[in-house]
Amino acid sequence: MARKARTTASAAQTTDLRNKLTTIAANLWWSWNPRTGSLFERIDAKAYHASDRNPIITLRKLSPAKARTLAADREYTYQLNQLHAQLKQYLREKTWYATKYGRSVKGVTAYFCMEYAVHESLPLYAGGLGVLAGDHLKSASDLGLPFVAVGIYWKKGYTRQHIDQFGKQQDAYPILRPMDAPIVEVKNKAGKTIRLRIPMGKDTVVAKAWRMDVGRVPLYLLDTDLPENKPADRKLTHVLYSGDRDTRIRQEILLGIGGWRLLRALNINVTCCHLNEGHAAFLSLERIAERMSGKKETLGRATRYVTDTSAFTTHTPVPAGNEEFDPVLVDRYFKDWPAKLGMSHEEFHNLARVKPGNVKENFGMTPLALRTSRRANGVAALHGQIARGMWKAIWPGKPVSKVPIGHVTNGIHLATWLHPRMAETFEEFLGDDWDARQDRVATWAQCRHIPDDALWALHQDLKADLIAYCRARVKNQLRRAPVKGMTLADADTILDPNALTIGFARRFAPYKRATLCFTDAKRLAKILNDSKRPVQIIFAGKAHPADVPGKAIIAELVKYARMPKFRKRIVFLEDYEMDVARHMVAGVDVWLNNPERPREASGTSGMKPALHGGLNLSILDGWWPEGYNRRNGWAIGKGENHNNTKAADTRDASNLYRLLEKEVVPLYYNRTKNGPPKEWVARMKNAMMTIPPFFNTHRQVKEYLTKYYLPAMRKA
Ligand SMILES: *Cc1c(COP(=O)(O)O)cnc(C)c1O
C-alpha cells in the first residue's frame, strides 16, 4: 500500500504533477516503459482500462482533489519524478547512432507505411505489418537514427471484433478523436495548419497532418476529414483497408504523394525513402516528377536518383496480398503523368508490370516499387528466396539467385512485448543495461543462471494472470452475447492454471489455418481431456471484415469452443489487439503456428512468447527455419511445402498430433515430485538464450541501416 500523505499538497505541487503527467502522456515513449502505466492507473483505474490504457483520456479524469492526494503521496511523486527524468534523459542522451556515425551522414530516412501499431489505445493497425512498423520506429528511436515516419490517421481504425451469440464476427469502428490521442496538428513556420492539396484525377483533395512522437521519432499521420473536402474524400482516412478499389487507390495516392508533399512542406531533408510494403509506391513517381520539373533533370537521371535513394520491403508471398489496380482505374488518376514524366502511356504502365508490354497485367504496386528501389528485401531468409522466384521476370536473363531482392529477417521491439516481471528478472541476471546489449548472444547466455525454480514459479504466475484475464474477458463476452447452457459463473471454471497451455493468435487469413488442429476433432479432444495430462488452447484473431472464408473459420472455431467436450479447454478471446497479445505471449507454455508453407512471410508473434520462455510449435515457415535449433521448440514436419491439397492439410495435422502426443505433452508432464519439469525448463531457457538475441528490432533496424539506409543516404 502507498504511504498515506500527512500534509496536503500545495498548488505548485499539483501543477508540477499535472505538468509532468502531461509531458509523459504526450510522448509514446510511455508505451514501452510499462512502469508509466501504474501512474495513470492510479488516477482512475476504471477509466484507464476502459480507454484501452489511454493516458490522455485518463489524465482528463484527474480531479483537483485527486491531484492533491497524488501530489502529497511521496511514493507516487517519487515514481513520477523518476519516470519524468528518464524521459528527459532519453530525449537528450547520446544515442548509439550518434556515437557510431555522428554527423557523417546527411539527412534522414523517411519510412512509409499504411499502418502502425504503437499501442492498443491507438488502433491505427490491422495486424503484423503494423506491429512490425510500430516496433521498427521504437528501435529507430532507441538507437537514435535520423528517421521520420509517414502514415494515415485512421479515425475509425480497423475492426473492433465482437463475437455474437451465433459465433459470428461483428465489426465495430469506434472513433478515435484527435483530442484523445497524443498528437498535435502539424503547422508551418507561420503557425498555420499545413494544408496539402493533392490532385486526384479531376478533383483535388485537401489533407492536413498530425504529429505523434514515438520517442525521438516523429510519425506524421495524414488526415482528409476536413470540411473543405467532399463527403467521400473525408471518409478516405476513416477505416483502414476498407472501401472499394477507387477508395483504395486514393488512399495510396494520399500516402505516397501526399506523404511526400508533407515532408517537402516541412522542409525535411530526406535522403532515403523506405517503402514498407507496396502501398506507398506512388511516392517514387512523385519524386521522379518533382526532380524533372524542379531540377530539370532528365527522366533517366531523376529515375536513377530516386531508385538509388529508395529501399523497398515486400511482406507477402501470397499473390493476392500484393496490391494491384485495374489499369483503367490508374488512368483515371494518372492520365497526365506519362506526359509529365516524358514517356508514353505504355512505358508508364510498364513501370508497374512484371513483363513490359503485357497488357493483361494489372498495375502492380510491388513491381513499381521494385523497379524504383535499388534495394529490396523480403522479411525472412526463406521469404527472400520465395520473393526472388516470384519476381524474377522483372530482371530477365538473371538467374534466380542473382535477383536483387535480399532479406532482413523481422524482429520484435523487446521492451514493448516484455512482461514487467520478466524485465525484472532480466535486470537481475543480464544486467541493468541488457536492453542496449540485446542483439548480442553473450547478453542472453546469462539466462542459464536463472534458477529453474524461480523461472518456473514466475512462468506459472504469468500463466495464472493470463487465465484470470481470459476468464474476465469471457465473462464480458458472455454478458454481451449469452451462450446457451453457459452462465457467467461458468467463466470462472474455464482453463486450468496447471494445464499445458497453448496459444494461437493471428489474423484469420485462411492460409494460417486456425482450425487445422480440429482436422480430427476426436483425437484433439482426447489430447485435451486427458485427466492426468490436460492440455488447453487459447485462440484469438480477427478476420478482415470482407473476408468471408476467414469469418467462417472463426464461426467454426467458436462452435468448437462452445461444445461441452471443449468448453473448459478451448477459449476464443475476442478482439485480438496488442493488450490481448501481451497477456497471451507472457503466459502460454507453447505458441502454435501452422500456416501453409511458404505463405507466411515471417510472422513475429512467436518471437514474443520466446522472450518469456514460451516454446514455439510451428511449421518451418517464415522466421522459424532460422530460429529453430531442435532444443528451443518444435518443428511440425520437415519443411514440406503446401500444395493446396487436402492431403497436405492431413499430413500437417497428423504431424501436429504426433508431436503433441509423443513429445510436447510427455515432456511437459515429466516431473519429479513438486519440482518444475526439468527438461521443459531447459528448453525454456534455450529459447530465451537463442531467440531474443537475433529476433529483435534493434538488430533488424541496424541491418536496414547498414545495408539499405546508409548506402542510399550517402548517394543522395
Ligand atoms: C505480434 C502481433 C501480430 C503479428 O502476428 P503474426 O501472425 O506473427 O504476423 C499481429 N497482431 C498483433 C496484435 C500482434 O501483437
Side-chain angles (χ1 to χ4, degrees), residues 356-660:
N358 180 4
V359 294
K360 292 211 185 79
E361 268 186 60
N362 277 333
F363 190 96
M365 298 299 270
T366 304
L368 176 60
L370 285 169
R371 286 185 189 283
T372 55
S373 303
R374 183 73 60 227
R375 296 167 182 88
N377 69 291
V379 287
L382 175 63
H383 178 227
Q385 186 193 324
I386 300 290
R388 285 189 287 281
M390 256 175 105
W391 305 107
K392 62 176 190 289
I394 293 181
W395 294 272
K398 265 204 201 303
V400 175
S401 62
K402 291 272 157 47
V403 168
I405 302 177
H407 75 272
V408 177
T409 303
N410 283 345
I412 54 168
H413 186 257
L414 301 185
T416 294
W417 297 105
L418 183 60
H419 193 283
R421 289 199 49 202
M422 194 57 87
E424 284 170 16
T425 303
F426 290 164
E427 275 159 29
E428 185 179 345
F429 290 92
L430 316 188
D432 282 337
D433 62 340
W434 69 268
D435 188 73
R437 297 181 283 111
Q438 62 176 262
D439 50 351
R440 292 187 211 160
V441 172
T443 304
W444 298 91
Q446 301 306 316
C447 286
R448 68 176 184 275
H449 299 305
I450 306 173
D452 285 3
D453 290 345
L455 180 60
W456 185 249
L458 171 56
H459 175 65
Q460 288 298 94
D461 277 0
L462 300 184
K463 197 201 292 190
D465 278 356
L466 166 62
I467 289 174
Y469 180 81
C470 290
R471 289 175 177 171
R473 263 186 106 96
V474 167
K475 208 174 266 185
N476 270 335
Q477 289 172 209
L478 281 171
R479 269 196 202 104
R480 217 177 317 103
V483 175
K484 224 167 68 192
M486 246 186 122
T487 65
L488 283 187
D490 287 340
D492 290 322
T493 67
I494 57 168
L495 304 177
D496 171 355
N498 292 309
L500 169 60
T501 304
I502 300 175
F504 183 104
R506 44 188 51 84
R507 287 182 304 113
F508 273 43
Y511 78 86
K512 303 224 188 201
R513 293 190 296 184
T515 47
L516 185 77
C517 65
F518 295 94
T519 305
D520 181 347
K522 263 207 190 118
R523 191 165 171 188
L524 179 68
K526 200 158 165 247
I527 296 171
L528 302 195
N529 291 321
D530 184 325
S531 60
K532 288 216 181 65
R533 306 188 305 180
V535 178
Q536 55 201 7
I537 316 180
I538 302 168
F539 285 96
K542 299 173 182 174
H544 182 280
D547 178 2
V548 177
K551 284 189 161 177
I553 293 172
I554 289 179
E556 191 188 344
L557 195 55
V558 171
K559 199 176 79 193
Y560 280 119
R562 288 176 182 176
M563 287 179 179
K565 69 177 167 192
F566 287 126
R567 193 170 277 178
K568 292 200 164 138
R569 300 263 181 259
I570 292 180
V571 171
F572 184 87
L573 298 179
E574 53 180 28
D575 205 28
Y576 180 49
E577 34 74 328
M578 293 177 82
D579 187 51
V580 174
R582 269 201 312 274
H583 281 86
M584 287 182 71
V585 301
V588 296
D589 298 298
V590 169
W591 193 254
L592 174 64
N593 186 29
N594 46 233
E596 297 171 352
R597 188 183 196 267
R599 299 200 169 85
E600 178 90 308
S602 164
T604 54
S605 55
M607 303 167 192
K608 302 167 192 169
L611 188 59
H612 302 86
L615 302 179
N616 277 268
L617 169 58
S618 172
I619 298 270
L620 283 166
D621 199 8
W623 72 282
W624 193 228
E626 290 164 78
Y628 176 58
N629 71 357
R630 296 173 179 274
R631 292 186 312 280
N632 57 7
W634 292 272
I636 305 171
K638 296 194 177 72
E640 303 90 342
N641 280 347
H642 190 278
N643 55 4
N644 288 320
T645 60
K646 248 209 128 57
D649 288 336
T650 312
R651 173 199 66 206
D652 291 344
S654 87
N655 282 334
L656 169 60
Y657 293 133
R658 197 188 46 73
L659 272 174
L660 284 171

Side-chain angles (χ1 to χ4, degrees), residues 96-105 702 705-706 710 714:
W96 171 86
Y97 180 89
T99 307
K100 203 162 159 81
Y101 298 98
R103 292 172 192 280
S104 64
V105 188
K702 286 180 186 177
L705 175 74
T706 51
L710 288 175
R714 288 188 172 124

